[in-house]
Amino acid sequence: MIVIISDDSRGNWGQTLEEAILHIGVQVIRFSADTLQIKPCTACNCCSGKTFGRCIIQDDMQLLFPEIVVCHALVLVSPVIFGNVSHHIKKVMDRMAALGDPRYRVRDGEMVKGMSRQGMTYFMVGIGDDLNEAEHSAFLSLHQENRKIMSVKGQTFILDSRMDKVSLNNIVQEIIHE
Amino acid sequence: MNKSDVMLLCVSPRHKGTSAMLLERIRVVTGGKLFFLPQKGNLDELVVSMQEAGTIIISGPCYINTYPARMLELLETASLTGKFSGQKLYGIINGGMPYIHTHQHGLICLQLFAEQNHLLWQGGFVLGVGAMLDGKPLEKHMNRRTVVPAFNKFIQNISEGIQSPDSLYIKAQSPPGKLTTRIFAKFLTFLVEKNLKKYGQDPEAPNYYLRKQDDGKQNGSR
Ligand SMILES: Cc1cc2nc3c(=O)[nH]c(=O)nc-3n(C[C@H](O)[C@H](O)[C@H](O)COP(=O)(O)O)c2cc1C
């Protein structure tokens, strides 16, 4: 199962990607983060203590947790804003801390963490027209750091808002084959 | 620098954490008004305060390798409103990991915001091991010998209204060696597990949302 979480406030990119995946017969579920009611993480630390693995904030993020926790691939689709994801997508990312393993491990000589369930691949699709080199590399580096700290595999893609069919199909192939 | 138009903005939801402590340390020298990013509601009023300031210093935690979502919402709102006119912008980001590269994205994002919105990017400070500090004075930092003078120099740069180079915080914090890293990871994991056990939680248990689904399936098949 593939889970797509997209910010569709500036375009229908999440839906386009979902349709391309469905077209080849792979199971996929999509959420539009910009239309959901998701509050920011309050750093209450419950998810790494008192309510281990469970976020106590009762909002639409509770619909996403059960899907993300079992998915094989998580795909975040976001406009690239100041080399970052949008705040709608970032709210999901911050709250996903509840699905992380709070213990530390060492990889390539550095401390990292991991996800509570192994085996998820993690993709980020950034959409932006006329991005400069700094925006491009900032977006790539964010996802690279995410993959390291979460100990997951995956890839970053950056597309322009027209999302031509060839690039889209390439992304779909990478996602289903990773 | 005009002391009355300094805006110190804490973007952590924790008002007594490390982000706030660092700003308070700056305020003693620079003066200015301390703001906390509201965690809900409209951000327009805060954007107006940013537009009226001459120097803005933003301090926040590192969440998943960059600033928290609500801070990004502020930048998006501020960018839509526009009307910046060369305000000097400094940034601080602190994270739990003892590295620079894991947190640095926050400053890069802030710099891009400044460049695209007519603010003057003046540099920033990345601080590792901020979680252990947990709002305690910088003198308690693991690398206090180098970090304290570097941060004091950062404050001096702000009060002189000059650019602060990245080399300042990079030189002050070298990553721990291999052995220290292993000891560190073991020690922190011990603390995490001790905390979980205090609440009767099993560190090895599958995630709560997985358990819930498994329970649901079992009940359904009975
Ligand atoms: C949702 C969440 C995500 C976090 N992600 C990271 C991270 O990616 N890297 C890191 O070093 N620390 C991470 N931390 C730890 C905080 O950066 C750290 O506790 C920081 O010192 C908090 O600053 P404050 O006291 O100003 O709130 C995270 C904390 C939370 C609550």
Side-chain angles (χ1 to χ4, degrees):
Chain A
M1 161 75 89
I2 296 173
V3 173
I4 299 176
I5 300 171
S6 53
D7 174 352
D8 300 320
S9 58
R10 300 182 184 191
N12 267 343
W13 309 310
Q15 194 184 334
T16 311
L17 186 64
E18 181 189 24
E19 283 164 4
I21 295 173
L22 277 174
H23 189 70
I24 51 168
V26 174
Q27 230 190 337
V28 56
I29 181 167
R30 180 177 62 89
F31 297 93
S32 282
D34 54 301
T35 59
L36 295 172
Q37 293 302 316
I38 298 178
K39 294 180 187 141
C41 170
T42 60
C44 68
N45 283 331
C46 287
C47 65
S48 56
K50 204 172 174 177
T51 65
F52 183 37
R54 177 168 71 87
C55 178
I56 59 161
I57 304 175
Q58 291 306 316
D59 60 12
D60 289 344
M61 192 64 201
Q62 297 297 340
L63 303 172
L64 272 63
F65 283 127
E67 303 295 344
I68 302 173
V69 80
V70 294
C71 76
H72 294 110
L74 173 66
V75 188
L76 302 181
V77 184
S78 173
V80 178
I81 307 176
F82 314 128
N84 212 324
V85 291
S86 73
H87 78 276
H88 292 298
I89 294 295
K90 188 63 175 30
K91 272 198 270 187
V92 173
M93 290 165 67
D94 293 352
R95 294 279 298 281
M96 269 177 59
L99 303 181
D101 182 344
R103 295 172 293 184
Y104 294 77
R105 51 185 91 166
V106 178
R107 179 151 307 154
D108 297 329
E110 285 198 354
M111 280 197 296
V112 292
K113 291 196 175 178
M115 299 304 286
S116 55
R117 184 185 141 263
Q118 310 278 319
M120 179 189 90
T121 45
Y122 172 50
F123 300 88
M124 221 181 229
V125 184
I127 318 283
D129 295 324
D130 307 317
L131 297 178
N132 63 32
E133 180 50 33
E135 293 171 287
H136 222 270
S137 75
F139 193 81
L140 294 178
S141 76
L142 174 63
H143 190 238
Q144 190 185 10
E145 290 292 346
N146 283 177
R147 291 191 318 257
K148 262 196 235 167
I149 205 165
M150 292 157 75
S151 298
V152 292
K153 289 190 177 151
Q155 285 189 59
T156 331
F157 306 98
I158 300 180
L159 291 180
D160 67 30
S161 60
R162 290 181 300 277
M163 259 202 171
D164 69 275
K165 259 214 151 76
V166 177
S167 335
L168 196 68
N169 286 337
N170 286 343
I171 293 180
V172 172
Q173 290 304 323
E174 295 289 346
I175 291 172
I176 61 170
H177 286 123
E178 178 87 32
Chain B
M1 192 191 62
N2 182 349
K3 288 196 173 199
S4 64
D5 70 3
V6 176
M7 175 185 194
L8 302 114
L9 174 60
C10 175
V11 300
S12 172
R14 304 172 71 234
H15 290 191
K16 293 195 168 129
T18 301
S19 307
M21 175 278 291
L22 295 172
L23 280 182
E24 202 45 66
R25 194 177 177 106
I26 296 172
R27 192 164 73 117
V28 171
V29 179
T30 64
K33 193 170 171 203
L34 183 60
F35 293 76
F36 289 96
L37 176 64
Q39 294 299 307
K40 56 181 177 201
N42 193 290
L43 292 169
D44 292 346
E45 213 174 293
L46 193 63
V47 172
V48 171
S49 302
M50 287 171 78
Q51 289 159 345
E52 288 170 355
T55 300
I56 305 165
I57 307 148
I58 297 183
S59 175
C62 173
Y63 286 3
I64 327 288
N65 304 114
T66 189
Y67 282 117
R70 187 69 172 159
M71 157 71 165
L72 305 189
E73 189 171 358
L74 174 68
L75 299 186
E76 287 170 34
T77 310
S79 182
L80 280 178
T81 319
K83 295 193 201 142
F84 288 98
S85 50
Q87 281 85 350
K88 289 183 174 174
L89 179 63
Y90 295 89
I92 304 167
I93 185 161
N94 90 87
M97 290 291 182
Y99 311 111
I100 304 282
H101 69 86
T102 44
H103 318 314
Q104 207 162 18
H105 185 277
L107 294 193
I108 297 169
C109 171
L110 209 47
Q111 177 172 2
L112 285 166
F113 162 76
E115 288 168 358
Q116 293 173 21
N117 289 282
H118 311 290
L119 288 97
L120 190 61
W121 174 245
Q122 292 286 78
F125 202 96
V126 177
L127 182 72
V129 210
M132 258 185 166
L133 215 50
D134 196 19
K136 291 191 285 296
L138 207 51
E139 280 70 17
K140 303 268 179 201
H141 193 278
M142 204 174 80
N143 298 324
R144 54 188 160 273
R145 209 175 41 78
T146 48
V147 162
V148 171
F151 197 78
N152 288 345
K153 176 74 177 122
F154 176 62
I155 299 177
Q156 193 187 332
N157 292 340
I158 297 174
S159 54
E160 289 174 8
I162 59 172
Q163 186 105 28
S164 196
D166 293 341
S167 56
L168 192 59
Y169 62 78
I170 293 173
K171 279 188 193 154
Q173 301 167 87
S174 37
K178 275 190 176 162
L179 183 66
T180 320
T181 301
R182 290 200 173 279
I183 296 170
F184 224 50
K186 279 214 152 58
F187 174 65
L188 291 175
T189 298
F190 166 77
L191 294 182
V192 167
E193 290 184 342
K194 193 173 140 190
N195 184 49
L196 287 173
K197 284 173 190 160
K198 183 176 91 187
Y199 292 112
Q201 302 283 357
D202 174 8
E204 302 294 338
N207 179 271
Y208 165 82
Y209 296 97
L210 266 179
R211 292 200 312 267
K212 214 170 114 181
Q213 287 180 36
D214 289 345
D215 291 351
K217 274 182 207 153
Q218 273 173 17
N219 290 340
S221 63
R222 252 173 227 160

